[in-house]
Amino acid sequence: MALYEYVTQEQLAGFDKYKYSAVDSNPLSIYVMHPFWNLVVKFLPTWLAPNLITFTGFMFLVLNFLMLAFYDFDFNASSAGYQHVPSWVWVAAGIFNFLAYTLDGVDGKQARRTNSSTPLGELFDHGLDSWACVFFVATVYSIFGRAESGVGVVTLFYILWVVLFSFILSHWEKYNTGILFLPWGYDISQVTISLVYLVTAAVGVETWYQPVIFHLLYRDLFTFMIIACSFTVTLPMSLYNVLKGYRNNTLKHSSLYEGLLPFLSPFLLFVLSTIWVIYSPSNILELQPRIFYLMVGTAFANVTCKLIVCQMSNTRCQPLSILLLPMTAVVVLAITRVFTNETLLLYLWTAAVVLAHIHYGVSVVKQLSNHFNIFAFSLKKPNSD
């Protein structure tokens, strides 16, 4: 059975004209990580497809999420009085996180090294990055947990949204300017979190119970760093780059409405999920935080991937993601108690969102692979012997 075609003919024509344009000004990335990745890529076989590297890195993050879900499903394991996550799990998490970060850094270099760069590679990379946000945040959450010295599940919900909006800002910039300005916070956070996992394995989660200084806990520092980085670095730089394009008359979209259109669906998703959290009859976020985060993060990734397709193909962003229509119905069923088993409703909807997103991703990859006459995970040509 043929997969539904999500990429229009207009968008396919736009992909044919696409040229990658990005700016990376982060000193850590320029002077430390890029030289390291340049060294690593030399050890990779030249037959290894860049998309396979990208996918492997993403699966390390999924593995971290599943591993911590097994040992800390409810985010209570780091609390006093609970059985803590084994030290080897934190060691594995640190190694897997750094491997994922490294593979995410070398996939593009492998593409240039093997002369196999295509728009599909960039879309595949950034599309998986958008989904990786929730796996990254939920796994880090297990370090502190939801106890008195940790972070409440509602607070973490809003922190997750800060991370999600920080991610989409870069692609909103590119939608308007045509240039992807790589955020500084990504490299710093990946290196830091990889080290924190390893430190946790060595000193135990009890270390994070103690205040850093006076009454300032590590969880407060964790929260402050994420929010401060988003609102003092990421957001101002995004606004600066877009305003600079406006002053130079180089923006791709002249009207304010068209320029802000990519934010509509993510904002509506935020509103819907927040309404469910606030008016949930069974306090669903307290009952099932991990599944709720997964649902929100996957729905966000689906919305973001559609924006990435539009900005890469130089086509207009659609105002409303169709996924939000059934989600509206689900939220209404939940808060009005028409569907009495709210946990079951959340599980069913999360499964639907995950399957819909996977179907969307497979469909888009298949379409672009056929369009460019390439294999997604092999450097061989489909028509070659």
Side-chain angles (χ1 to χ4, degrees), residues 355-366:
L355 291 174
H357 186 52
I358 291 174
H359 175 75
Y360 171 79
V362 171
S363 298
V364 171
V365 169
K366 182 177 175 63

Side-chain angles (χ1 to χ4, degrees), residues 85 159 215 267 319 329:
V85 173
I159 290 175
H215 298 291
F267 176 73

